[in-house]
Amino acid sequence: MKILVTGGAGFIGSALIRHLIQDCEHHVLNVDKLTYAGNLESLSSIEGHERYRFYQADIADRELMSRLVNTFEPDAIMNLAAESHVDRSIDGAADFIQTNIVGTFQLLEVARQYWTSLNSDQQSAFRFHHISTDEVYGDLEDDGSLFTESTSYKPSSPYAATKASSDHLVRAWNRTYGLPAIVTNCSNNYGPYHFPEKLIPLMILNALEGRPLPVYGNGLQIRDWLYVEDHARALVRVIEEGKVGETYNIGGNNEVRNIDVVKGICSILEELRPCLPVGVERYVDLIQFVADRPGHDLRYAIDSSKIQSDLGWQPKESFETGLRKTVEWFLENQDWWQRVLDGSYNRERLGISD
Ligand code: NAD
């Protein structure tokens, strides 16, 4: 297939593209605005590949997106472009509204115009795959209940509300115009190339440098963690075999409390990096509880039985194995994260010379 991936320079998008190029035969056009979260260095392993191209563009720029789509003539569009950090959405939601809602709307219109121009065989083969989050469902009590594909939407944060809006738009374009769309809602991802503002990389890098490990509230919030490469495999399974008009929940079946995630990182580091930063006796001593995030959801947990039974997908990593791989990756790839921390990863994008 020829697949146009938006947001492919981000955390999940880059994992998806590495998988599409290295493990599959698909052709990829990566369209990314390169916001602070976009990092082409996450794609250095495939950047010169003959089946891969990159174009810098904003999904909300309808004219440019239309030109790119009509020139590339994709069999599928996978939309991962988004503002994705909950804390940033609380500080200011404008970019979230613009990209997640307006951007998705513009992209849907571009896709619809292009899809309408295809012949009937091409039309029935075409897919618009919108990648979303379990945060659209709000939160769950700590009672064993799970989010299913029919759970009502009840988003808590501005981020989740904008993703919920975009999901509704995609379903409406499927129902009203017949655009062959599929939505996936996934739980928290973690793994290599994760931007250091997110919980797991932040804790690894702070611990390595002997800085405090800030944990929101009492740290008892529960997330269902999925290794990013398992998510990438699920997305490819959906684009290849998913049924039009359907929603698939994707989760790792790994419910872990935030405090236990942080303690888990500390104990892996004790083993892999026993030489602690000066003045630190144990990594866990760096844990500090800080004021909770407003509207912080208590628990997310995904029922992913539908994608497992309908499409035969299963996560390969347990949280234990995935967390160890992640910590090892950050220990072995200091160049990547140093260039994110010092800002040099996006100097070219910003036109800054040394
Ligand atoms: P990310 O923030 O790491 O990457 C987002 C990418 O989108 C970046 O490369 C950025 O430059 C690009 N982008 C932002 N605005 C754009 C625009 N207007 N036009 C084109 N490109 C733009 O995000 P991520 O963690 O990789 O998440 C990808 C998608 O998966 C998002 O839609 C997110 O909501 C969803 N999701 C994320 C998680 C998670 O745990 N990270 C879980 C479930 C779903």
Side-chain angles (χ1 to χ4, degrees):
M1 288 166 96
K2 282 164 75 179
I3 304 177
L4 190 152
V5 175
T6 73
F11 168 50
I12 300 171
S14 64
L16 170 67
I17 293 178
R18 291 191 302 273
H19 179 50
L20 285 168
I21 297 297
Q22 288 167 343
D23 309 321
C24 314
E25 298 297 319
H26 300 298
H27 292 250
V28 174
L29 174 63
N30 173 15
V31 177
D32 196 296
K33 184 180 174 184
L34 297 184
T35 67
Y36 79 94
N39 185 351
L40 291 175
E41 293 177 15
S42 306
L43 290 160
S44 55
S45 58
I46 54 100
E47 75 184 337
H49 201 285
E50 57 181 9
R51 285 185 282 110
Y52 171 73
R53 291 281 176 281
F54 169 73
Y55 200 96
Q56 184 172 5
D58 183 339
I59 56 163
D61 183 342
R62 194 192 295 194
E63 215 182 293
L64 179 53
M65 288 307 300
S66 181
R67 237 183 307 134
L68 290 172
V69 167
N70 286 300
T71 309
F72 183 60
E73 299 181 325
D75 302 302
I77 295 176
M78 299 177 82
N79 182 31
L80 292 92
E83 288 294 335
S84 71
H85 191 44
V86 175
D87 288 346
R88 286 179 187 257
S89 80
I90 295 169
D91 292 342
D95 288 347
F96 290 73
I97 307 268
Q98 176 59 24
T99 287
N100 300 1
I101 304 178
V102 179
T104 302
F105 157 68
Q106 298 290 17
L107 190 64
L108 280 166
E109 281 296 85
V110 167
R112 182 165 76 92
Q113 168 272 324
Y114 166 72
W115 175 73
T116 310
S117 74
L118 300 175
N119 67 37
S120 62
D121 285 350
Q122 293 167 325
Q123 279 195 349
S124 44
F126 182 78
R127 296 288 179 272
F128 185 99
H129 179 176
H130 181 65
I131 285 72
S132 191
T133 167
D134 61 352
E135 301 197 27
V136 297
Y137 298 125
D139 63 354
L140 296 164
E141 297 292 323
D142 192 3
D143 58 2
S145 54
L146 299 171
F147 296 133
T148 71
E149 286 79 1
S150 55
T151 301
S152 307
Y153 275 29
K154 199 159 66 69
S156 307
S157 69
Y159 162 67
T162 60
K163 291 298 293 186
S165 308
S166 64
D167 294 8
H168 290 320
L169 290 174
V170 173
R171 293 198 181 97
W173 260 243
N174 169 244
R175 179 86 194 258
T176 305
Y177 304 111
L179 184 74
I182 302 177
V183 176
T184 51
N185 296 87
C186 185
S187 59
N188 279 45
N189 284 219
Y190 68 102
Y193 302 98
H194 207 177
F195 197 84
E197 68 186 350
K198 303 283 171 79
L199 179 74
I200 289 180
L202 181 75
M203 295 298 156
I204 298 171
L205 301 190
N206 278 14
L208 286 176
E209 304 203 343
R211 287 199 302 264
L213 306 180
V215 174
Y216 279 136
N218 54 16
L220 299 183
Q221 307 85 358
I222 295 169
R223 300 292 177 261
D224 177 358
W225 292 95
L226 180 68
Y227 194 63
V228 68
E229 291 172 10
D230 279 329
H231 189 191
R233 287 191 305 104
L235 296 177
V236 172
R237 193 63 66 90
V238 168
I239 202 69
E240 289 177 348
E241 292 171 38
K243 219 171 125 203
V244 166
E246 295 291 326
T247 294
Y248 297 93
N249 278 354
I250 307 171
N253 211 7
N254 281 311
E255 283 185 56
V256 191
R257 301 183 308 177
N258 283 351
I259 185 66
D260 295 328
V261 171
V262 180
K263 287 181 176 167
I265 292 168
C266 290
S267 79
I268 296 172
L269 282 175
E270 300 274 349
E271 186 193 323
L272 299 181
R273 191 55 70 87
C275 179
L276 281 85
V278 182
V280 181
E281 276 187 25
R282 297 179 62 217
Y283 288 107
V284 280
D285 297 340
L286 295 168
I287 294 176
Q288 278 183 12
F289 293 96
V290 298
D292 207 353
R293 166 195 278 169
H296 206 170
D297 286 332
L298 174 66
R299 173 171 169 262
Y300 304 142
I302 282 262
D303 175 354
S304 53
S305 53
K306 178 175 168 181
I307 186 170
Q308 299 200 11
S309 62
D310 290 8
L311 305 183
W313 170 86
Q314 292 271 0
K316 285 185 180 163
E317 299 294 340
S318 67
F319 189 64
E320 230 174 34
T321 58
L323 189 62
R324 178 170 287 272
K325 277 189 173 180
T326 304
V327 174
E328 284 170 352
W329 188 88
F330 275 90
L331 290 176
E332 286 159 14
N333 289 276
Q334 185 164 351
D335 276 4
W336 182 87
W337 54 262
Q338 274 299 357
R339 288 173 56 73
V340 174
L341 294 184
D342 69 22
S344 47
Y345 74 107
N346 62 6
R347 276 190 189 193
E348 267 173 45
R349 170 179 75 80
L350 298 171
I352 300 169
S353 51
D354 287 328

